[in-house]
Amino acid sequence: MFNRESYAKECIVETKSPNLDLLPANIDLVGAELDLVDLEEREYRLKKVLVPIRDEYDFIIIDCAPSLGLLTLNALAASDSVIIPIQCEYFALEGLGKLLNTIKIVQQRLNIDLIIDGLLLTMYDTRLRLSNQVVEEVKTHFQEMVFKTIIHRNVRLGESPSYGETIVIHDASSKGAINYLNLANELLKKLETVSVETE
């Protein structure tokens, strides 16, 4: 993916969903962290790969692993904004502070235009007191930064990747699909507001 001979356009795969393409990773990405260490401008490799296709899409969403290595730094350096998912579980808030510090460093050194779109609460189970405590704590500390939409823990949501389908194709009436559609609407409204304010 970071090899100059590999161009994004050649690797794009069409999906069953209209207007949705995929630029998939493969097992070789496991060694990318080590390959990147000694390269010049190692934090900008993904950005350089995406530059030729940026104008062909309204949105390019980069899904990152839950780690703060060079691959995540590449994603942050290549992005305009970031959505931070927070699982409604015990250790969720532990890593949040580190991630926010990392984003601040990226904003200062690698990508001054990077903004945080919001914090997204995920894997929410209404029956668990812990889930409700995490929601309350995040909303209390971060207020307007938190998306109103919460992604509930949902069996159909967990199933869809094993079928190679988006949740909307797998089961559009499921709670998971409705949650993500609500998130998309909320995000679009937020972006429209920002666009109007900057005009």
Side-chain angles (χ1 to χ4, degrees):
M1 187 171 182
F2 295 98
N3 189 328
R4 285 194 177 172
E5 280 75 46
S6 297
Y7 294 100
K9 213 168 232 182
E10 296 169 10
C11 304
I12 289 170
V13 176
E14 288 185 8
T15 69
K16 296 176 190 174
S17 301
N19 303 315
L20 178 67
D21 291 339
L22 187 65
L23 184 56
N26 64 36
I27 196 66
D28 294 337
L29 204 58
V30 172
E33 293 270 348
L34 292 173
D35 292 340
L36 284 168
V37 169
D38 296 323
L39 296 179
E40 285 182 33
E41 297 191 314
R42 60 189 183 184
E43 294 90 355
Y44 297 104
R45 294 291 165 142
L46 180 58
K47 184 173 185 173
K48 287 178 180 177
V49 168
L50 295 178
V51 163
I53 61 165
R54 270 187 76 113
D55 294 338
E56 295 179 29
Y57 294 92
D58 293 321
F59 298 96
I60 296 176
I61 299 170
I62 305 169
D63 184 22
C64 298
S67 66
L68 293 174
L70 271 172
L71 294 181
T72 301
L73 285 178
N74 263 269
L76 293 171
S79 299
D80 298 319
S81 62
V82 59
I83 294 173
I84 302 172
I86 303 169
Q87 293 182 6
C88 296
E89 294 178 353
Y90 187 71
F91 290 110
L93 298 175
E94 298 259 328
L96 181 58
K98 287 181 182 176
L99 179 57
L100 290 171
N101 282 337
T102 300
I103 289 172
K104 195 178 283 185
I105 291 166
V106 169
Q107 288 169 324
Q108 290 167 352
R109 300 182 187 173
L110 301 175
N111 185 356
I112 58 170
D113 298 321
L114 182 67
I115 61 166
I116 298 174
D117 275 328
L119 308 179
L120 175 64
L121 292 156
T122 67
M123 300 184 85
Y124 175 64
D125 190 333
T126 52
R127 300 164 299 176
L128 299 179
R129 193 170 72 179
L130 177 62
S131 279
N132 292 303
Q133 285 174 339
V134 171
V135 169
E136 286 307 310
E137 202 163 330
V138 170
K139 285 185 173 179
T140 299
H141 284 89
F142 297 100
Q143 300 169 10
E144 294 303 311
M145 285 180 71
V146 185
F147 283 104
K148 290 179 179 65
T149 303
I150 297 177
I151 310 299
H152 291 70
R153 193 181 288 276
N154 178 250
V155 173
R156 302 298 274 167
L157 200 52
E159 286 175 354
S160 63
S162 64
Y163 289 90
E165 295 175 339
T166 66
I167 186 60
V168 176
I169 286 179
H170 186 61
D171 186 351
S173 63
S174 70
K175 186 174 273 190
I178 292 164
N179 288 163
Y180 275 108
L181 289 169
N182 287 340
L183 173 65
N185 283 328
E186 187 178 348
L187 185 58
L188 285 171
K189 282 178 186 169
K190 193 178 239 189
L191 292 172
E192 282 171 15
T193 304
V194 170
S195 177
V196 167
E197 287 173 357
T198 54
E199 282 177 3

